[in-house]
């Protein structure tokens, strides 16, 4: 049985079905010259445990060998992402106000209010809204 291990370069490794992943890892560590603790195997996007038997993998399977990734702090806190939007109160949308008429249209309305539709009354005019 043969499997491919993709690390810094791709290695074709002949294995017997009873071999475990740990034994394959030791072989690859000696080829890649990497410490055993720093090398991890993944197959089909999932990490392989050391006690898994190679027989469970299909023939000519490609295993990806990756190194240990160092963790650390993320610049800025992801816990505070969206803080301003979350604490801003939701305000209902206002209804649109009609805009004031200007120019010729305003003068036309003013003329109609004062002269055309105004009912002539006796005495003093009381105000603009007293038609």
């Amino acid at each position: 049985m043969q499997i491919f291990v993709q690390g810094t370069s791709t290695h074709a490794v002949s294995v017997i079905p009873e071999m475990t992943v740990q034994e394959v890892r030791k072989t690859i560590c000696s080829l890649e010259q990497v410490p055993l603790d720093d090398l991890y195997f993944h197959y089909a996007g999932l990490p392989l445990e050391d006690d898994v038997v190679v027989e469970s993998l299909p023939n000519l399977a490609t295993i990806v060998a990756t190194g240990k990734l160092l963790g650390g702090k993320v610049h800025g806190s992801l816990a505070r992402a969206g803080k301003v939007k979350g604490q801003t109160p939701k305000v209902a949308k206002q209804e649109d106000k009609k805009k004031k008429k200007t120019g010729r249209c305003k003068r036309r309305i003013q003329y109609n209010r004062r002269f055309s539709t105004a009912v002539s009354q006796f005495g003093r005019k009381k105000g603009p809204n007293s038609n």
Side-chain angles (χ1 to χ4, degrees):
M1 184 175 173
Q2 190 175 25
I3 60 171
F4 297 102
V5 180
Q6 184 180 9
T8 54
S9 61
T10 304
H11 304 282
V13 181
S14 296
V15 294
I16 56 174
E18 294 83 28
M19 265 179 114
T20 61
V21 172
Q22 174 136 16
E23 294 167 350
V24 176
R25 230 173 78 177
K26 286 178 185 175
T27 307
I28 297 300
C29 283
S30 63
L31 290 172
E32 296 269 340
Q33 298 171 349
V34 177
L36 187 64
D37 294 336
D38 291 348
L39 195 68
Y40 294 99
F41 279 178
H42 297 276
Y43 177 70
L46 299 172
L48 286 174
E49 300 296 327
D50 286 340
D51 57 345
V52 174
V53 180
V54 177
E55 184 179 31
S56 63
L57 299 174
N59 191 22
L60 303 176
T62 301
I63 296 173
V64 179
T66 57
K68 189 175 186 180
L69 296 176
L70 297 175
K73 288 196 168 195
V74 177
H75 182 70
S77 175
L78 296 177
R80 289 190 298 265
K83 172 186 159 243
V84 173
K85 186 176 181 185
Q87 70 186 17
T88 305
K90 180 73 176 161
V91 178
K93 188 176 180 182
Q94 294 180 347
E95 293 182 22
D96 293 330
K97 295 180 183 178
K98 286 191 174 184
K99 64 178 188 174
K100 289 185 176 183
K101 303 207 180 206
T102 60
R104 187 188 60 83
C105 183
K106 182 177 178 182
R107 296 288 181 216
R108 182 175 156 253
I109 293 169
Q110 200 176 44
Y111 174 82
N112 288 337
R113 189 182 311 130
R114 290 183 182 171
F115 302 109
S116 298
T117 59
V119 179
S120 60
Q121 299 174 347
F122 297 107
R124 190 170 79 101
K125 187 176 176 186
K126 293 181 182 158
N129 297 328
S130 64
N131 285 348

